[in-house]
Amino acid sequence: MRDLKIKIKRQTEILGLVLAHSGKYLIYDFEEMFGVNDLTIKRDLQELRSFGIDIHSEGKKGINITSKIPTETLKAIIPQYIGIAVNQSSYDQATNLFISKLGPKSISTLTQLQMCIDQNFQVKMLYQKPEEKIVEERILEPHCIFQGDKHWRLLASHKGSIKQFLLNNIKTIEKLEKKFKPISQKQIDEIFGTSFKCWLGNERYTVRLKFLPPWPDRMKPRQLMEFQKVTEEPDGSIIYETVVNSLNEIASWIVSRGEGVVVLEPESLKKLVIKTAKDVINNYK
């Protein structure tokens, strides 16, 4: 397992270096860098090509990538690399909270769910809502496990609606011998594409915000949403536009920014921001 992780990490780093500096590196450079022989590097390039990446060694011209890497390939490579390399030295609060709450049961919960996702089997689980003490039985069609707002979560269909469930609050899981038709990756992408933080809903709200100085310099380089539009104004401000599935999440975020962030639309978001700010002030009266 350790050798496999080392290989995946090395191949991804070779890919990253070639993308950053096309033609700069020879096979010999990577031999020296990673402490392996030339056959290993050649096998690495071959395996990367098997993933649909046109990476080739052209002798003294160095190693180059001759065509654009498909988005789906990037989506497969990046989480894999993060899981192996980045998590070794970073603080994963969601995982730590998950383990703290469930202990060894965290592994059985995670693996049972993922196996049902892979095989498209329904699951029966006992689930306790975060704000309630009642434990309820749920029959779900599990679609994917994801991390959001410091927790591991399950995206699943329940009684015809797509919902999310905190893995920390799952009491028991049972695989049912009943299969279901999974939703497509495109549908999953659309669900997450309008989530400002972790709320997953069917509503869609077009939001326009105005950021006054000094916020424009801070906001222009940032990618808050997958689909967003930023327009610079003559007065030094910027207009930020996006689509979200929850006004509550973005309202709280706007209030937390303080002065200089103005809601242009929708009107319902303006009212919600004002109410949220008043509620915060009332805590100190």
Side-chain angles (χ1 to χ4, degrees):
M1 178 63 76
R2 184 174 180 275
D3 289 344
L4 178 60
K5 287 183 176 181
I6 290 172
K7 182 181 76 169
I8 292 171
K9 184 174 182 291
R10 182 181 64 244
Q11 290 178 354
T12 309
E13 289 171 354
I14 288 172
L15 177 61
L17 288 168
V18 174
L19 282 168
H21 307 284
S22 181
K24 176 180 178 180
Y25 296 100
L26 306 176
I27 286 179
Y28 172 79
D29 295 319
F30 289 139
E31 289 179 54
E32 292 290 306
M33 190 180 299
F34 295 105
V36 296
N37 59 38
D38 63 332
L39 291 177
T40 298
I41 298 300
K42 289 176 181 177
R43 281 195 296 269
D44 286 339
L45 299 182
Q46 177 60 45
E47 289 191 25
L48 288 170
R49 285 194 291 273
S50 73
F51 299 144
I53 300 169
D54 290 328
I55 185 168
H56 300 274
S57 172
E58 301 178 13
K60 293 182 179 180
K61 292 183 179 180
I63 300 173
N64 296 282
I65 295 172
T66 56
S67 63
K68 184 179 179 181
I69 300 175
T71 300
E72 292 306 312
T73 302
L74 293 175
K75 288 181 178 180
I77 290 174
I78 290 174
Q80 184 174 245
Y81 180 75
I82 289 173
I84 292 172
V86 178
N87 284 345
Q88 291 177 358
S89 58
S90 65
Y91 181 76
D92 185 350
Q93 189 169 25
T95 299
N96 288 339
L97 290 173
F98 186 36
I99 294 171
S100 176
K101 180 77 176 287
L102 298 184
K105 189 180 173 184
S106 58
I107 296 177
S108 61
T109 298
L110 189 63
T111 54
Q112 286 182 89
L113 281 174
Q114 189 58 51
M115 290 173 71
C116 288
I117 291 169
D118 293 340
Q119 300 168 25
N120 303 324
F121 278 109
Q122 289 185 348
V123 297
K124 179 169 70 174
M125 71 179 189
L126 292 180
Y127 184 77
Q128 182 177 4
K129 286 186 177 181
E131 67 277 9
E132 298 177 4
K133 294 183 178 180
I134 301 173
V135 177
E136 297 180 338
E137 182 180 283
R138 307 286 178 91
I139 306 296
L140 306 177
E141 297 175 354
H143 301 304
C144 71
I145 294 169
F146 67 100
Q147 192 176 126
D149 198 23
K150 302 179 182 179
H151 289 284
W152 283 106
R153 300 164 184 263
L154 171 69
L155 181 72
S157 293
H158 178 242
K159 294 182 177 179
S161 298
I162 295 178
K163 300 179 180 180
Q164 59 175 301
F165 302 86
L166 296 178
L167 266 59
N168 294 19
N169 294 340
I170 297 175
K171 302 300 182 182
T172 63
I173 296 175
E174 178 185 344
K175 172 187 169 184
L176 300 179
E177 295 301 323
K178 184 176 181 181
K179 290 211 166 191
F180 65 93
K181 183 179 179 181
I183 61 176
S184 67
Q185 185 59 49
K186 182 180 179 181
Q187 288 174 289
I188 292 176
D189 290 345
E190 288 175 351
I191 290 169
F192 286 107
T194 56
S195 177
F196 190 73
K197 287 187 177 179
C198 62
W199 179 258
L200 306 176
N202 296 321
E203 296 82 5
R204 296 292 181 269
Y205 303 94
T206 298
V207 171
R208 294 180 71 245
L209 306 176
K210 184 171 185 176
F211 289 90
L212 303 172
W215 282 109
D217 289 338
R218 302 176 189 175
M219 293 302 301
K220 280 187 286 187
R222 296 185 64 184
Q223 185 79 25
L224 295 179
M225 299 287 288
E226 185 175 355
F227 304 104
Q228 63 181 37
K229 179 182 177 183
V230 177
T231 305
E232 297 186 40
E233 297 291 289
D235 62 358
S237 66
I238 61 170
I239 305 298
Y240 177 87
E241 300 177 58
T242 191
V243 176
V244 299
N245 61 15
S246 167
L247 293 182
N248 287 304
E249 287 189 333
I250 197 167
S252 298
W253 181 83
I254 291 168
V255 171
S256 71
R257 301 304 95 177
E259 187 178 5
V261 184
V262 181
V263 177
L264 300 180
E265 62 177 86
E267 187 65 29
S268 54
L269 179 57
K270 291 183 186 179
K271 294 178 180 178
L272 187 56
V273 167
I274 292 170
K275 180 183 182 303
T276 303
K278 286 181 177 178
D279 289 344
V280 172
I281 292 170
N282 286 337
N283 290 331
Y284 299 93
K285 288 184 176 180

